[in-house]
Amino acid sequence: MNVEKDRRTKKLLEAVRLKTQFLGNMSHELRTPLNSIIGFSELLMDGLVGELSEKQGHYMKIIHSSGAHLLRLINDTLDFSKLEAGMLEVFNEPTDLGEVVEDVLRAYNVVAERKGLDIHVEIPADMPPILTDRRKLTQIIDNLLSNSVKFTSQGRVELAAKRKEGMLEVTVTDTGIGIEPQELPYIFDPFHQVDASITRRYEGTGLGLALVKKLLEIQKGTIEVQSSPSQGSSFTFRLPFVEFKPEKPTVATTREELIQGLPAAGERPILVVEDNPLAANLMSTWLSEAGYNVQIASTGEEALQKAVTLCPAVITLDILLPQMDGWRVLHRLKEIPETKDTPIIVVSIVEDKSFGLSLGAVDYMIKPVSRSNLISKIERLTKSGRRFHRVLVIDDNPADISLVEEILQLDGYEVLKATSGVDGLKAARDEKPDLVILDLMMPDLDGFDVMRLLESDEATRGLPIILFTAKDLTQIERAHLGANIHDIFGKAQLDRDSFRQKIAELLTSSQPEGSNE
């Protein structure tokens, strides 16, 4: 009896695994064309390739909104499947609630305008950033607002947030059709929908609220609902409020004194932030022998002060620092005007590359590091490069290449293109680009093979790479990415400003005009 039960259990688990794998593959296939729809419609709406008429602009907003809606359905389906299989991971990062809500609302402006709905947001101006999974918080708010806008034909939709008893409490209220009392116990069940007449009138999969509840539960959150037919609904969810508190440095000197004390550009040092004297001495020796002026900071507070006063060319940053850890130092450095554009390489035993890159580090190295690798990365960030940087885009989808090309040309970069992994490797060797933007899912050599071969070739080793992909990387896949992977951008709903900023950070130096290199 037990043998038969074990056999059935294994078959069930295998079926769940195969279903999740299938949905993951389908998600990639669907997101690829959606990337073009959403990305190019944004370029057109922003007038970056020519002005649109009022009617054209309106239609383009509809196209963009529809693409975003379809993407949300795809993400919800895939994430729900991952939750069922126990495969969905939580990545906490400093998150501004106001920015999340603002991003979500962009998808509903057209619908709200058409219906004549008033969308009101009330978030305290002094609410600090919190440590939470930004993507999951976005999904939760997105699904709740989507329902409110969908089921409200007139009146208003309100979102109010506050901090209460150690929790972030967010309430979404509408003046819509409401929910019948007999339906309330079941609204968070997967695929549950109300009666047939409502289902015919309003689109939906019946998955959104079930996903919201599960996303909250895996983060120790809760949700409740109050509703009356024809009177509207009110959904309130709560998440642990873990405030992100970057400590501000106390700088004794005045702004004028700091400016007078700045070194000339050619004399700018490398700032090594490391509390272990042996490790600090080792890195200082390596860099000094390579011809760099090296300054050391052993605490987060000292690092912030020296970063402002010394104006370093590059900062290497340990995470395990006393009093103020490296995460808070990194976050604060990106807030200070004098240091926000300084390239920062995390050098630490802490293995959390994705979080470090999300906070703005240009690279992430796990200790122990090699001398040649460290110096190579420092040289790439400090040496004079071309006036017009060359970026190689490797992607088998011509539409995606065109989208990236449009974005890169806004900043004057020379764009090299390769539509296969094999052609990309050849171009990287022959053309010597400053940066590679790489797709992962390609038919001949996939992106993982291209990364491995680039790093194994002396001519291309250490070449910075930004991944641009529709693939959802698992934590294991992220952990095995090479040290030259500087960031990962999803093809769907690409944040063009962040994309451009990351590229600019990596290409910080420019070669004087007339150089032959």
Side-chain angles (χ1 to χ4, degrees), residues 414-472:
E414 180 184 350
V415 182
L416 308 171
K417 294 171 281 188
T419 55
S420 71
V422 173
D423 290 343
L425 288 171
K426 185 176 186 301
R429 295 189 192 102
D430 297 343
E431 303 294 339
K432 297 180 174 56
D434 300 293
L435 174 71
V436 172
I437 296 175
L438 175 65
D439 183 24
L440 286 178
M441 308 294 285
M442 294 184 291
D444 55 350
L445 282 177
D446 65 23
F448 294 101
D449 289 330
V450 173
M451 284 187 282
R452 178 176 54 80
L453 292 170
L454 285 173
E455 193 61 19
S456 65
D457 190 330
E458 187 67 32
T460 55
R461 182 174 300 138
L463 184 61
I465 299 172
I466 290 177
L467 298 183
F468 180 57
T469 179
K471 178 178 174 58
D472 278 330

Side-chain angles (χ1 to χ4, degrees), residues 10-23:
K10 288 180 180 179
K11 287 185 67 176
L12 180 61
L13 291 173
E14 178 65 9
V16 171
R17 186 190 68 80
L18 291 174
K19 181 188 74 171
T20 303
Q21 183 179 1
F22 168 75
L23 288 173

Side-chain angles (χ1 to χ4, degrees), residues 93-101 123 127-130 132 134 137:
E93 60 181 307
T95 301
D96 186 296
L97 178 62
E99 291 179 357
V100 170
V101 173
I123 300 175
M127 179 171 285
I130 62 173
T132 190
R134 181 187 177 106
L137 179 61

Side-chain angles (χ1 to χ4, degrees), residues 153-193:
S153 57
Q154 58 183 356
R156 61 193 277 133
V157 174
E158 299 180 1
L159 182 146
K162 60 183 177 182
R163 183 176 185 174
K164 183 179 179 182
E165 299 175 352
M167 303 292 283
L168 170 66
E169 183 175 288
V170 179
T171 300
V172 178
T173 305
D174 62 63
T175 57
I177 62 173
I179 304 170
E180 296 289 341
Q182 65 271 20
E183 297 286 348
L184 284 174
Y186 309 106
I187 60 171
F188 294 110
D189 291 349
F191 308 109
H192 175 78
Q193 290 182 315

Side-chain angles (χ1 to χ4, degrees), residues 1 402 429:
M1 185 69 177
S402 297
R429 295 189 192 102

